[in-house]
Amino acid sequence: MLKVAKFGGSSVAGADQFKKVKAIIQEDPARRIVIVSAAGKRSSSDHKLTDLLYLCYAHSQYGVDCSGVFDMIASRYLEIRDELGLKLDLEPELADLKRRIDAKTISQDELASRGEYFSAKLMAEFLGFQFVDATEWVKFKFDGTVDQEKTYAALKGFIKGKGIVTPGFYGIMPDGNIRTFTRGGSDITGALAAAALDADVYENWTDVSGILMADPRIVENPEVIPEVTYNELRELSYSGAQVLHEDAIFPVREKNIPINIRNTNAPDAPGTMIQED
Ligand code: ASP
């Protein structure tokens, strides 16, 4: 049994959320492949790290000093590391990143990808899993689409019994440059990992207990839909339901792997199962 577990931004927003992820992983030894997003908002007034990274890039493009924004990014990851008592030597990497931003020698995609990169580095140490960078296996073609064959083969090569943590959202171009998917793209990375390894299930961990029967901003405490088909999911997305990145369906559907939407904050809830029938 093999489960691929992708954790979204809210699931890795701070040290407490990291602890919840660890409990979920330790609860089921089949959860050996972990994909993480960049740290998300801890409260409604907080910021998602990816947004801050894009903001930093925009600053540098207009020649405006981005030190204030950069400090917000750096301190979030340093805080998570210190609160969890991890050893990861983040300071040199952060200093190098800042230097490259100031010198304008980093691309927008590479800078935006650093949120997932740091999340995964910290999570790997925290879980005692192997860190595998997305650049080692998510391979794009020159036209910007994923080279599935190369991607699947590369990931398989990293499976050696020990669990792995890998960053979502980005991969590598044939020329060695980092490229990101569109926003929300960590879902795609999770789907590619599940398909590559013929996982039994692709678990997508978020902050709701599955697909809800109504918009919770309009209806109080809507119930969860326990099962939907891939086709129904597509219709729901057309009418505006935001569940998964639309490009995350194809790789798993092609291999008939069910997607299970789960809640990191309510791990006992079964969530929603998305499958063919
Ligand atoms: N961090 C990226 C974003 O904010 C990707 C993701 O979270 O899936 O869009």
Side-chain angles (χ1 to χ4, degrees), residues 15 41 57 89 96 103 111 134 143 157-158 180 220 267:
K41 296 181 181 195
Y57 185 79
D89 195 14
D96 187 51
L111 182 54
D143 66 6
F158 284 106
T180 59
E220 215 178 301

Side-chain angles (χ1 to χ4, degrees), residues 6 8-9 37-38 48 50-51 54 112 116 168-169 182-187:
K6 179 258 170 180
S37 280
K48 179 159 190 163
T50 310
D51 295 336
Y54 280 118
E116 271 71 12
F169 191 41
T182 51
R183 297 299 306 266
S186 297
D187 284 341

Side-chain angles (χ1 to χ4, degrees), residues 157-182:
F158 284 106
I159 306 303
K160 297 188 185 76
K162 196 175 173 185
I164 68 171
V165 179
T166 189
F169 191 41
Y170 68 97
I172 194 160
M173 292 290 283
D175 60 6
N177 285 320
I178 284 181
R179 182 186 174 100
T180 59
F181 293 112
T182 51

Side-chain angles (χ1 to χ4, degrees), residues 74-95:
S75 60
R76 179 85 72 91
Y77 283 119
L78 292 168
E79 238 172 76
I80 293 174
R81 179 194 67 184
D82 295 342
E83 273 186 51
L84 297 175
L86 303 174
K87 301 270 172 302
L88 188 68
D89 195 14
L90 276 173
E91 285 85 350
E93 281 198 75
L94 288 166

Side-chain angles (χ1 to χ4, degrees), residues 23-118:
I24 289 165
I25 296 304
Q26 289 182 336
E27 197 240 331
D28 185 347
R31 294 183 179 125
R32 289 198 302 278
I33 313 297
V34 176
I35 288 91
V36 286
S37 280
K41 296 181 181 195
R42 291 160 295 187
S43 64
S44 54
S45 58
D46 202 9
H47 303 289
K48 179 159 190 163
L49 284 209
T50 310
D51 295 336
L52 297 178
L53 288 161
Y54 280 118
L55 191 60
C56 216
Y57 185 79
H59 274 68
S60 74
Q61 288 309 293
Y62 291 108
V64 180
D65 178 42
C66 80
S67 300
V69 179
F70 190 83
D71 285 347
M72 290 165 78
I73 297 165
S75 60
R76 179 85 72 91
Y77 283 119
L78 292 168
E79 238 172 76
I80 293 174
R81 179 194 67 184
D82 295 342
E83 273 186 51
L84 297 175
L86 303 174
K87 301 270 172 302
L88 188 68
D89 195 14
L90 276 173
E91 285 85 350
E93 281 198 75
L94 288 166
D96 187 51
L97 190 58
K98 181 67 171 49
R99 253 192 313 272
R100 291 181 62 204
I101 297 167
D102 291 341
K104 293 194 188 175
T105 56
I106 189 164
S107 70
Q108 174 167 267
D109 278 22
E110 183 173 355
L111 182 54
S113 76
R114 295 303 84 186
E116 271 71 12
Y117 172 80
F118 289 122

